[in-house]
Amino acid sequence: MLAAVDGGTVLPTPAERVRLRETAGLTQAAVAQALGTRVPSVEAWEVGRAEPTGERLEAYRRLLEGLAQRHPTPAPPSGSRPATPLESPAAPPVRASKRTVTTPHTVPPAQDVSRTPTPALPKATPAVDSPFPNGPLAVLDADGTAYCPGGVLLECPAATIPQLADWALKESGLGAVRLHRHGKDSDPLIVLTAQAAARFGLPPALEDRRALRLADNHPVVRELARTKWKLTRRGFGPWARVYRPAEGGRRQCVQLAILPWEALDTRTWGGACQLSAPEVAQVLGDYATRVITPRGSAAVCGLELMTALRPPTRPVKDPATDTWMSGPNAGALTQAVDPAPPEAPDEHPVVAARYPRGHQRTPAEVLDEEAFEWIRDPEQLTDDECVKSFAVGIDVNMAFAAAVNRLTVGLGAPVHVNHPRFDKKTPGSWLVDLSHIDLDTRLPNPFTPHGLRPEGPAWYATPTVAYAAELGHDITPLEAWLRLESGSYLDGWYTRLRDAYLATMERLGVSVGMNEADFLAAMEHHKDTDPAQAAVLSAIKATVKGGIGKLRERPQGAGYRPGERWPALERPTWRPDIRAAVIAAARVNMHRKMLKLAATGLFPIAVLSDCAVYLSDGPTPLDFLPRTPEGKPLPGGFRLGVSPGMVKHEGTQSLMWAVKMLDEGHNPARHIKGTDAAAGGE
């Protein structure tokens, strides 16, 4: 049981390395300390994800040889035969065809793992009783090898897309268990590399760049139809779902992702599409384990996660017939509802029915809850501020996710009320005049996205009006659209994404509880320590923002005409009022913290969504964030740390750079990272 690496140096197989260490009673940390490396590197060596190089290779070999002399491999039981290199000694019964092979896979190291933390991988051999023993997905290469998370390999004999779908459902052992007992198991995901796509007769790129789908007369589409497979309305594109009607209560759906068609958008997945097939499998597998099996864009995944965690239906027994039937699931969004007129975007039929075409709605006619984009008038800079040396940006971690936490949202249709009494516990939209509230203009006004004082009555979501009441002002709504049935629909969504984010950050060397100086140091290079985990992190963040954004998905396609309904309106999760409440809560959270700092004399010069820029004597947030007399962070203000709602260092520029930005009307918060500082603006 030996493996040759680094020009012929022989090491025991990964499984034997684990056996030797565990038999000797050593921890991975003890081995790492003895070899002068880090625990993630030892983890990688023990699962075959990477191999040591140079002096560490020889040191590791000597260590293992010494352990092997003291703890020789036990003799196999009488009548048994030794495992071949393509077998795992603990492999479960093979579910797939006789040609299927399951084995740990060793990926040649792309970089020096002694310096780069490599994520610990799940064991290559899954539990025997798992309904999906080979994980949620596989990345298929040209030769028919399917790479699964954890180093599991499958051999896929399919020669056509219909055969691939059959194999995925019947033989692959791929899928994921449901996230809620009333939900559905995740369908298997098959990811096609460029070579695999060519093998199945798919073009290297989609000619239809508008629809992003194969033509209906393409041979692959015709073959699917001929073999009784169906496609969803989005057709055969970068993320294609093929299905047949359920059989015996069992779903027959397979999700395909086509890498050469940019299924892994770089804005979401960073450089994941440049990784090898086994690495792509691990990246997507980590995301699937921590969030959900990918099934489209980050926005689609964000929305699907909401439904997976709060399914709209559950089984209920009909007392009249004593049979089980489908009924609404308490606390979930169970049916599509039309928005209130001020909540609807301009294209919506309820707007077209109320206003003439081309009408520009006023704040008293439309709900405009968006994130901050504000700069301070440079004339308001004080003498004390003008002697500062730096402009320092701080950015709220997972700001929209933090806003979702414990947020009460409406579950049903809106009800119109004239002259209601304001209740901060009732979600909805309120027409109220907040223009009389006088606030310090060195802060953005919390009641408008542009940060300027409102000019009269306007529509606001409940969190905005509640903040006005919190500041001590009288609230007298003129009318409201209220949702009397409400609940914390997104609590589970927040918890899962928070846990996924924190687990990924920990793999990147940034953990909860770090002191502030260590946190800032770790954040300087956290994305460089492991490109694969950086891609997972990017996807998690995009899932939060995309999921919230898709609650108000606008119509798509050149053929759409204002006033017509569009497909998104027919789903229960098309809820612009929930999106408005989340954004309002995030903006209020931001202002509440800025107000705490203002009480100490600190005012921002610019705010963009979840980033605020302050002037400082030094180049880091520690140089300006206020402390208590005991040296602790100011209660209620911005706090450095990795958790959602805490802040990180966004970037630092000079005072003169920031003043020039303000003078030219540009937002320093947009450019504080410095990647385009030389351009002097947008």
Side-chain angles (χ1 to χ4, degrees):
M1 301 177 67
L2 301 175
V5 296
D6 198 21
T9 299
V10 176
L11 291 178
T13 62
E16 179 65 0
R17 299 169 202 178
V18 175
R19 187 194 72 80
L20 289 171
R21 177 181 57 76
E22 292 180 344
T23 304
L26 298 175
T27 65
Q28 289 178 330
V31 173
Q33 184 177 8
L35 299 178
T37 187
R38 301 179 64 183
V39 171
S41 295
V42 177
E43 293 172 342
W45 303 341
E46 291 190 347
V47 296
R49 177 67 166 76
E51 298 289 358
T53 58
E55 295 179 356
R56 281 198 184 86
L57 172 59
E58 290 303 314
Y60 193 38
R61 180 185 61 78
R62 290 194 298 270
L63 172 65
L64 294 174
E65 284 181 353
L67 295 178
Q69 291 175 3
R70 285 180 290 179
H71 308 287
T73 305
S78 176
S80 68
R81 61 182 179 86
T84 69
L86 290 182
E87 292 179 311
S88 169
V94 177
R95 290 183 44 156
S97 68
K98 294 181 180 179
R99 297 184 61 199
T100 299
V101 180
T102 304
T103 177
H105 178 76
T106 300
V107 183
Q111 51 193 322
D112 183 0
V113 296
S114 66
R115 292 185 292 106
T116 304
T118 305
L121 305 179
K123 292 182 179 179
T125 303
V128 174
D129 59 352
S130 168
F132 305 107
N134 294 322
L137 56 92
V139 179
L140 193 61
D141 224 335
D143 61 358
T145 301
Y147 298 87
C148 305
V152 174
L153 296 187
L154 306 175
E155 184 181 346
C156 175
T160 66
I161 293 295
Q163 291 174 5
L164 178 61
D166 275 321
W167 174 83
L169 284 175
K170 299 174 183 177
E171 302 181 41
S172 70
L174 296 174
V177 296
R178 63 198 67 188
L179 298 179
H180 187 282
R181 65 193 182 103
H182 298 319
K184 302 171 183 175
D185 293 340
S186 288
D187 303 320
L189 167 63
I190 305 295
V191 182
L192 301 183
T193 62
Q195 296 82 359
R199 171 188 168 195
F200 288 110
L202 299 174
L206 288 172
E207 294 181 4
D208 188 345
R209 301 305 300 169
R210 179 182 291 272
L212 288 178
R213 57 192 290 172
L214 287 180
D216 292 341
N217 62 354
H218 190 278
V220 169
V221 177
R222 293 205 309 265
E223 189 174 25
L224 283 166
R226 188 166 56 250
T227 51
K228 308 302 182 184
W229 287 100
K230 299 179 182 294
L231 290 166
T232 59
R233 186 160 35 199
R234 62 183 175 183
F236 201 108
W239 290 89
R241 181 179 291 273
V242 299
Y243 69 96
R244 284 171 173 160
E247 198 173 76
R250 185 182 180 89
R251 286 167 59 86
Q252 297 191 89
C253 296
V254 176
Q255 180 73 59
L256 302 175
I258 319 299
L259 293 185
W261 297 355
E262 301 176 1
L264 298 185
D265 185 344
T266 55
R267 293 170 298 179
T268 297
W269 294 97
C273 60
Q274 305 300 321
L275 300 174
S276 66
E279 291 171 319
V280 172
Q282 196 58 51
V283 166
L284 297 181
D286 284 345
Y287 179 88
T289 301
R290 297 171 201 169
V291 183
I292 193 171
T293 303
R295 57 193 71 183
S297 67
V300 168
C301 292
L303 214 59
E304 291 284 351
L305 181 63
M306 294 179 194
T307 302
L309 292 169
R310 291 268 194 170
T313 61
R314 65 182 181 91
V316 295
K317 181 169 281 189
D318 184 349
T321 62
D322 199 35
T323 59
W324 291 96
M325 56 186 295
S326 180
N329 188 21
L333 303 180
T334 58
Q335 60 182 349
V337 296
D338 276 342
E343 297 165 351
D346 291 340
E347 305 92 339
H348 198 281
V350 302
V351 177
R354 177 171 291 220
Y355 302 106
R357 188 170 182 178
H359 173 74
Q360 186 68 37
R361 289 190 288 172
T362 67
E365 296 170 330
V366 62
L367 179 69
D368 185 27
E369 294 283 16
E370 300 293 343
F372 275 131
E373 183 165 5
W374 169 88
I375 61 173
R376 202 197 317 171
D377 183 347
E379 296 294 327
Q380 289 187 322
L381 294 178
T382 65
D383 291 342
D384 287 342
E385 288 177 319
C386 289
V387 298
K388 304 289 185 184
S389 300
F390 300 98
V392 181
I394 52 176
D395 183 81
V396 179
N397 302 319
M398 301 273 282
F400 291 126
V404 159
N405 189 22
R406 297 191 297 274
L407 179 68
T408 300
V409 300
L411 300 178
V415 175
H416 185 258
V417 183
N418 283 313
H419 303 290
R421 184 175 182 178
F422 177 68
D423 179 5
K424 66 179 182 180
K425 296 181 180 179
T426 303
S429 301
W430 309 78
L431 180 62
V432 60
D433 190 350
L434 303 179
S435 62
H436 64 283
I437 299 177
D438 190 22
L439 298 172
D440 195 317
T441 55
R442 290 175 293 176
L443 288 175
N445 190 290
F447 310 129
T448 62
H450 48 68
L452 303 178
R453 191 171 185 160
E455 297 180 351
W459 286 95
Y460 302 99
T462 296
T464 301
V465 186
Y467 187 53
E470 179 185 323
L471 294 176
H473 302 284
D474 292 332
I475 305 300
T476 310
L478 303 174
E479 59 178 299
W481 289 90
L482 305 179
R483 285 171 167 80
L484 305 182
E485 182 186 0
S486 62
S488 300
Y489 172 72
L490 293 171
D491 269 8
W493 191 79
Y494 162 76
T495 300
R496 187 161 179 86
L497 287 165
R498 177 204 63 194
D499 292 349
Y501 162 76
L502 291 176
T504 307
M505 289 297 291
E506 188 165 15
R507 297 280 281 274
L508 290 168
V510 186
S511 58
V512 175
M514 298 180 82
N515 68 53
E516 293 173 320
D518 288 344
F519 168 72
L520 290 175
M523 288 297 293
E524 284 292 318
H525 305 290
H526 74 288
K527 292 183 180 179
D528 301 326
T529 60
D530 188 328
Q533 290 303 300
V536 178
L537 178 65
S538 175
I540 292 170
K541 291 180 177 180
T543 301
V544 174
K545 290 188 176 181
I548 296 300
K550 207 165 178 66
L551 290 168
R552 194 186 66 165
E553 182 179 353
R554 309 295 278 268
Q556 303 174 21
Y560 175 78
R561 296 291 178 269
E564 298 176 350
R565 295 188 72 83
W566 60 95
L569 303 185
E570 310 311 321
R571 65 171 189 247
T573 49
W574 193 85
R575 291 294 300 272
D577 58 298
I578 295 180
R579 173 188 178 273
V582 172
I583 295 176
R587 198 180 65 244
V588 163
N589 288 346
M590 192 78 174
H591 193 274
R592 188 181 288 114
K593 289 178 169 60
M594 291 189 291
L595 193 61
K596 287 288 186 180
L597 267 64
T600 71
L602 282 171
F603 294 86
I605 63 167
V607 182
L608 181 68
S609 186
D610 47 11
C611 175
V613 178
Y614 284 84
L615 298 181
S616 170
D617 290 321
T620 81
L622 289 174
D623 295 311
F624 76 87
L625 287 177
R627 321 290 290 189
T628 65
E630 296 77 25
K632 295 182 179 180
L634 180 72
F638 294 112
R639 298 187 60 180
L640 289 166
V642 69
S643 297
M646 301 178 80
V647 299
K648 61 181 180 294
H649 183 202
E650 182 71 358
T652 297
Q653 298 294 331
S654 69
L655 169 69
M656 295 309 297
W657 174 89
V659 172
K660 184 174 184 289
M661 279 277 181
L662 295 176
D663 286 339
E664 294 176 351
H666 300 307
N667 193 325
R670 187 182 299 278
H671 308 282
I672 194 68
K673 285 186 177 181
T675 53
D676 58 354
E682 298 182 65

